[in-house]
Amino acid sequence: MPDERSERPPRAPLDLGSVGDEVLPALMARFEASGLGELEVRRGEWRVRLRRDGAVPAEPRSPVPAGEHRRARQAPHAAPAGAEPTPPARDLSRAMVTSPAVGYYQPIDGLDIGRSVRQGDALGHVDVLGIRHDVVAPADGVVGRVLADPGEAVEYGQDLVRLDRLAPVPG
Amino acid sequence: MFTRILIANRGEVAVRVLRACRRMGITAVVAYSEADRESRAVQLADEAICVGPADSGRSYLAAASILSAAIVSGCDAIHPGYGFLSEDDTFAEMTRAHGLTFIGPPPEVLERFASKAGTRQVLGAHGLPTIPGSDGMLRDDEHGLAEAARIGYPVLIKPSAGGGGRGMRMVRSARELQQALTVCRSEARAAFGDDSLYLEKWLDETRHVEVQVIVDRYGNGVHVGERDCSVQRRHQKLVEEAPTPALDVARRAELAELAVRAVVAAGYENLGTLEFLVDTSGDFYFIEINCRIQVEHPVTEMLSGLDLVVEQIRIAAGEPLGYTQADIGLRGHAIEFRINAEDVELDFRPQAGRVDEYLAPGGPGVRMDSHLFAGYEVPPYYDSLLGKLIIWGPDRQTAIERARVALDELVVTGLKTNVPFHRALLGDQAFLDGRFTTNALDRMGSAAFLAASAARPAS
């Protein structure tokens, strides 16, 4: 007999009942305990996106900002949101540009300290087997630190550029 | 031999492969998703590289990301573990095209054995008995009736396309067949856009018995005996043991020798498992081959003393087997219990969350393969396997007694596990007698099985 569950990831289509009963509660618990602003999970034909109140809607495929990620790691077992009504404060003066993929990083020319960028600007790309994945600015700002060199091997979610002096977060 | 291997998997198997790399002096680079950043494999790794988000489609199943991770981290081979990309011939081909080695069968071998129907045909031609069935697709009802009479009722009607039970029906008479053919045809047409059907002999009570083979690039092959995986719930294996209580020594040897002869003749390479159904009269039928390391491989390791992951790596690196069938000795009896994060009282619902305490059992013949540690957070995105408790004894009775002690010693708190099921199984007369069949649990219902066990006086 094929041994689907333990030897393959679950890929069978989910019915509404199991999404409501099993998937959502587990996801919500995980999401509450994390410092993430938004979480999207796809399984079979289902796509579930959770977003915290007040979180800035992320670009559909942009990675988790590394700053937030590190916060999540420091307190992985934080009390559920009910016990802690205010979400962790965002550092509004900085934002991290992170790698969208694992591969070789190539910034655009002149991406040096002091350069102004706008949210959504392509700041370079990561080469994955010859396919370029754009590195996108998550917010308006000025390049404050360059954290990866041209041609460097980077992993998914790795900090590449720190942006300073962000404009206030909309909403 | 390889110098750096990328381990493209997670959980217990990532730790298992890592241990094999360590032993061989090979640097282990672990590829992980964001959800596995705090995992045991990442902690133990020589290097770890994040390949994507929790969603396995964008991490463990993302062929380009995994291969890119192997290239940028300077690896010369990729170990895919089980599941995920482990039997993906396109991924194996991509890996080779970039000058790296896929640890498993070469891509053309994976491709040759990719289709179940094709594999049955190929290995059937090399002497493996397969489940009797109709000669191709049914042309019309009359053809169906004639074929069913030839095979013998009961028969299973199966659609050529698709799966998931749609268009599938078991019938016990010609009259039932005639009615069911119409229904199955329209179901298959609606579900797959193809209404061609075929027949297969239905086996009422079956055991699942599989043969482990190792074949090198030069056509040297051995079998390492069989494993019995008849304790299943909805086609998921829960307990595996060797040798199988279903067959005597001579019949087991016949099965294993037939299996290894067929795969060597068909040009198979690397580790493989041939799965068979065994009916009540001891006849066996080949159903499929798994071209990878399997979850239950430690059962065979306990009997043979081999490290199957090391063998897999050696063969992928082009080394010859270096031993023959006469060198393979199988000693004693081994049983593996899959420890899953499941609530047996809530229909085996998968659990996620923090493990508060974890203590592995010990003693003679006790082995625990697991990625757990106290404080580990079981993510909700992947399968529920927490580890495997493998017990060896000089005979089945000793293994069962040791297993009872070990299961009582095992501590996992913070989330529910299926250990209560294993305790119940070790009190079940059918299992103790070696008579468990693949559909026993589902026919009785898991809840009824547990209730019956609770009602039994403690032994």
Side-chain angles (χ1 to χ4, degrees):
Chain A
M1 294 285 162
D3 191 11
E4 295 294 339
R5 191 171 57 215
S6 284
E7 306 201 8
R8 286 177 206 279
R11 266 183 290 181
L14 290 172
D15 58 72
L16 189 54
S18 76
V19 168
D21 292 349
E22 294 168 24
V23 180
L24 270 182
L27 268 185
M28 284 165 70
R30 181 79 190 175
F31 183 62
E32 287 291 356
S34 77
L36 304 182
E38 182 175 318
L39 176 69
E40 183 181 307
V41 172
R42 258 171 280 185
R43 198 173 137 184
E45 295 169 8
W46 287 91
R47 195 172 68 162
V48 175
R49 183 183 294 180
L50 301 176
R51 187 179 296 161
R52 210 179 282 279
D53 277 351
V56 185
E59 288 297 307
R61 286 179 68 87
S62 79
V64 175
E68 289 194 353
H69 195 90
R70 219 170 278 123
R71 208 173 307 137
R73 286 170 66 190
Q74 280 162 6
H77 315 307
E84 187 196 358
T86 41
R90 281 172 63 95
D91 183 352
L92 296 181
S93 66
R94 284 176 179 175
M96 205 57 83
V97 182
T98 60
S99 170
V102 53
Y104 293 108
Y105 168 59
Q106 201 57 56
I108 53 169
D109 287 341
L111 189 70
D112 301 318
I113 291 173
R115 174 160 172 163
S116 291
V117 303
R118 306 286 309 223
Q119 178 176 358
D121 280 358
L123 305 184
H125 67 264
V126 172
D127 187 302
V128 181
L129 307 182
I131 308 286
R132 291 176 169 200
H133 294 249
D134 282 344
V135 172
V136 179
D140 295 356
V142 173
V143 174
R145 266 189 86 184
V146 172
L147 298 161
D149 296 327
E152 188 175 321
V154 295
E155 63 180 351
Y156 176 83
Q158 182 174 330
D159 296 346
L160 301 175
V161 176
R162 196 187 76 205
L163 298 179
D164 293 344
R165 276 185 273 149
L166 282 186
V169 177
Chain B
M1 185 45 68
F2 310 118
T3 58
R4 286 164 79 86
I5 289 178
L6 185 87
I7 301 173
N9 213 301
R10 59 175 308 283
E12 71 89 18
V13 73
V15 176
R16 173 71 188 83
V17 174
L18 192 140
R19 286 174 176 150
C21 292
R22 279 278 152 77
R23 203 207 99 185
M24 301 175 81
I26 298 168
T27 304
V29 181
V30 169
Y32 66 95
S33 82
E34 280 190 316
D36 286 328
R37 197 179 290 276
E38 311 294 337
S39 69
R40 190 75 186 122
V42 170
Q43 291 168 4
L44 288 171
D46 295 307
E47 273 175 44
I49 184 162
C50 183
V51 291
D55 175 11
S56 54
R58 290 175 59 200
S59 48
Y60 298 110
L61 280 167
S65 299
I66 296 286
L67 186 50
S68 180
I71 293 168
V72 304
S73 59
C75 290
D76 45 8
I78 300 177
H79 197 301
Y82 47 67
F84 297 130
L85 295 168
S86 62
E87 294 180 89
D88 188 321
D89 55 299
T90 312
F91 176 67
E93 182 57 58
M94 273 169 73
T95 302
R96 183 165 66 185
H98 281 83
L100 281 75
T101 304
F102 174 86
I103 298 175
E108 56 277 1
V109 172
L110 280 177
E111 198 186 347
R112 192 178 320 148
F113 293 95
S115 133
K116 286 191 195 183
T119 302
R120 283 184 211 189
Q121 213 161 30
V122 169
L123 294 182
H126 286 290
L128 288 191
T130 53
I131 297 178
S134 57
D135 181 19
M137 296 301 138
L138 303 180
R139 292 188 295 275
D140 49 33
D141 286 12
E142 242 161 79
H143 182 215
L145 286 163
E147 286 294 281
R150 186 179 60 79
I151 300 162
Y153 290 96
V155 295
L156 184 65
I157 307 170
K158 293 176 92 171
S160 168
R166 281 179 296 186
M168 220 149 114
R169 199 139 313 182
M170 185 266 287
V171 295
R172 294 192 177 275
S173 67
R175 198 180 155 152
E176 274 182 42
L177 175 65
Q178 213 153 12
Q179 289 167 353
L181 279 175
T182 319
V183 179
C184 289
R185 222 174 261 131
S186 67
E187 270 183 25
R189 195 182 312 121
F192 319 116
D194 175 0
D195 66 357
S196 41
L197 304 172
Y198 65 101
L199 300 179
E200 220 171 69
K201 180 152 184 66
W202 171 264
L203 304 169
D204 265 324
E205 290 293 328
T206 56
R207 312 274 306 210
H208 172 118
V209 178
E210 57 188 30
V211 178
Q212 177 73 58
V213 296
I214 314 176
V215 187
D216 71 11
R217 187 171 299 174
Y218 316 100
N220 307 302
V222 294
H223 70 77
V224 200
E226 83 297 332
R227 295 181 289 258
D228 188 311
C229 316
S230 299
V231 181
Q232 299 186 357
R233 184 178 171 276
R234 298 181 188 164
H235 303 314
Q236 307 300 325
K237 296 168 184 169
L238 288 169
V239 171
E240 302 95 348
E241 65 179 312
T244 173
L247 302 171
D248 61 25
V249 180
R251 193 79 178 133
R252 293 200 312 256
E254 188 188 339
L255 169 67
E257 280 158 22
L258 214 54
V260 72
R261 208 177 311 137
V263 289
V264 169
Y268 190 76
E269 182 181 326
N270 210 289
L271 251 65
T273 298
L274 291 91
E275 300 193 334
F276 295 84
L277 290 179
V278 178
D279 68 14
T280 40
S281 58
D283 285 334
F284 46 78
Y285 304 99
F286 170 72
I287 46 175
E288 64 177 271
I289 187 166
N290 295 314
C291 306
R292 55 175 151 77
I293 189 84
Q294 287 200 266
V295 174
E296 59 271 26
H297 74 273
V299 167
T300 301
E301 293 183 329
M302 299 297 265
L303 260 55
S304 64
L306 285 173
D307 182 326
L308 291 176
V309 178
V310 168
E311 294 309 296
Q312 193 182 20
I313 294 170
R314 282 184 50 234
I315 289 167
E319 287 190 11
L321 206 52
Y323 46 83
T324 66
Q325 193 65 54
D327 299 317
I328 304 282
L330 301 173
R331 225 179 106 250
H333 197 97
I335 312 176
E336 175 184 276
F337 300 85
R338 296 194 186 193
I339 310 299
N340 294 336
E342 289 171 347
D343 186 347
V344 296
E345 284 170 17
L346 281 176
D347 198 31
F348 290 74
R349 181 177 296 183
Q351 308 280 297
R354 184 184 149 95
V355 174
D356 291 328
E357 277 181 291
Y358 168 65
L359 284 169
V366 176
R367 165 176 172 184
M368 186 82 196
D369 278 17
S370 174
H371 57 295
L372 289 195
F373 55 90
Y376 174 60
E377 188 100 15
V378 176
Y381 313 105
Y382 312 108
D383 68 43
S384 57
L385 187 68
L386 298 179
K388 295 143 20 181
L389 173 61
I390 308 106
I391 309 289
W392 181 88
D395 51 63
R396 189 166 190 261
Q397 183 56 34
T398 309
I400 287 173
E401 286 162 10
R402 285 179 174 171
R404 286 203 187 100
V405 178
L407 283 167
D408 283 346
E409 247 184 67
L410 172 65
V411 177
V412 180
T413 64
L415 40 72
K416 297 219 162 116
T417 72
N418 63 346
V419 166
F421 168 81
H422 294 313
R423 289 215 186 90
L425 184 75
L426 292 180
D428 178 74
Q429 204 54 51
F431 179 77
L432 295 176
D433 293 347
R435 289 186 285 111
F436 221 84
T437 52
T438 51
N439 62 357
L441 211 48
D442 294 332
R443 194 182 44 220
M444 183 171 184
S446 302
F449 180 83
L450 289 160
S453 146
R456 255 193 318 269
S459 54

